[in-house]
Amino acid sequence: MHRAADMMLKWLAVLVVLTTLGCPAWGAEHTSVLEVDDIVCRGNLTTSCKFIRGHLFLRAGQSLDENEIGNATLRLSWLPNFRSVAIHLEKGAERGRVIVVIEVVEADPIATAFSAGLSFRSGSQTATVSGRIGDHNLFGTGKSLDLILAGEQPIAGLTARESLARLEYTDPQLFGSSRNFLFAGAFHLDSAYRYANGESFRSEVSGFDVSVGQSFGRFSYFTIGYEHLPQSTFISTTTHANGSFFTHYNSPQNVLLLGYGWNSQDDSSFPTRGTRLSLYNVLGESLGEPFFGGSEFRATWGVGERSFLTLGLRIEPVMQDRASIEGDPLISLSYSRDLPLDGLFAGVRRGRWYVEPGITPAGYSDDGHRLTEVGAKVGLRLQTRSFGLVNLYIIGTGLAQTGHRSH
Amino acid sequence: MRNVSRNYRGWILACLAILWSVPGLAAHLTPTLAKEQLGVLITDARLPRTLAGDLRSGLTTRILIQVELLQQARSIGHRDVEVDLRYDLWDDNFETTFRIDGLIVSAQTLGKPPEVTAMLAHLSLPELFSTAGLTGAKDLVMTARLLFNPLEKEQMEEIRKWVTENSRPTPNVATGSGGGLAAPQPPSESRTLFDRIFEQYAAGASVAAPFVDSATSKPFNMEALNREK
């Protein structure tokens, strides 16, 4: 009798252990006895089903993996190609076999971005307006064609004007490879700037360029390209420590473009974390210097609920000054915070305000003191329903003497 | 110091009471007592608009209910209840499974979607917390957070990595490439689903979901609950 009771207790213990092991904690994988018969797409008018299916890592003949279906829904939802994505099952050829149906509503492929700003810098006040409109699903293939226009006009003070027009084609998957990409463009840039300390920059350039690139590692990529400039004039007058002026003139026609980049930002417009680095160099006849390039670095961290800090570093060639870079300083530390999407911002999809203090070296004063432009950019970045990405900002800066007089 | 602490607790309880009394703000939660165990009854929970479609999708609809037992605003118990609803394409019914902290506690089969929504509108979760040690306890409050089709942090991290790896590289700033005007691809409307989950993680949540509702009980004490039984 005791032995029977012992045996029963042992079996009970084994059963309890097995039951515990067999019951996953919440969120554990949901196994399925269903088998995938086929994967089909619905609602895709211009996007190929092959492209859509490529985001679901599941094949006909495999067991249905519901976690993977959840992941694929999120991957497809993130793409700009679709307004909505839903996946459901339908009965397959026999009981236990299912057809996975990916139902999409395609989004309007036209993308727009708009930026307007006022700058109050030492000696000049300007207004800048820029915009971008493009088709980001050209011929239903995921390629894009964008027109970019930018203009800056002085309101008062010293000369500060720019006009830029660029038509840009981007193929994010060159020859069907997700690693290779191409971008090409034709452009015209005309800019002229004069500063209180006598420095001036003048650029008038027209041309076209084509670059190919390859992603490698997790976040890196490199690019190599060619730029032909039938018309190009760069004139820069910069001050030296001894108070003298140095004028540099360039007129390159054929240049080689080299670039390296890294991007681990989780969102290009509203990053919450990650870093972005872009280094580029331009090699060509008559540029006169082995290095004529620049770099941009941005690192973002979350600093509390919906608040972020971004460290920015931008180095531009000393021979250019451009409004279309939106007046970003050399070194900046920006604080930004997500906007509550109610009241005034109820119609906005996403929004963030930011304050970006920064400094930029600004040459030398007449009497040989090192000058630094110190100021801040304050703005709003909104993802609107009607106008796309909108950036509104005000820049205010002043010049500060940050070094002793040079002898 | 003690007075300050008491005042603080009083404020929390007052806030919880106000939250509970505002109609339509969230689901209603009523504590229940059976077999010397505390449970909850959640009524009028808001359901996602997509629920009807989700239920018929043939895929499992998961609802995670995080139930918290508080005494004087301090947590003294926590249970994760998971309700899995799965539509059987051939039998045209719903297999419903209840788990508490990962262990299956009950399973049932429901007929049509209205039966499922009726069950969710009057969701009874008995036997969550033992009353041993709670005899005569006062200032008790129960809260519940309902997460529809939640995602674990690891799953979201994987998706975020995929997104980052598949983001279009920003063209380098060549002579006339437009610099700061390099507008990114427009986010789709469906991406708001992604962003909503993503923002919950950015705010420090360990579990996130595209749709969340919550409920808080009126403050109660064990003596009164025993009398009501």
Side-chain angles (χ1 to χ4, degrees), chain B residues 194-212:
Chain B
F194 186 91
D195 291 336
R196 212 177 299 143
I197 296 168
F198 182 76
E199 280 162 8
Q200 289 172 49
Y201 281 113
S206 58
V207 188
F211 189 91
V212 180

Side-chain angles (χ1 to χ4, degrees), chain B residues 36-72:
Chain B
E36 306 298 315
Q37 300 265 321
L38 267 178
V40 290
L41 173 67
I42 301 168
T43 51
D44 303 326
R46 285 183 303 143
L47 304 175
R49 276 185 304 154
T50 56
L51 185 69
D54 291 346
L55 287 173
R56 286 279 191 186
S57 69
L59 299 163
T60 307
T61 298
R62 295 164 57 211
I63 305 167
L64 173 68
I65 306 159
Q66 298 172 318
V67 185
E68 200 87 35
L69 176 62
L70 307 159
Q71 187 174 29
Q72 293 177 328

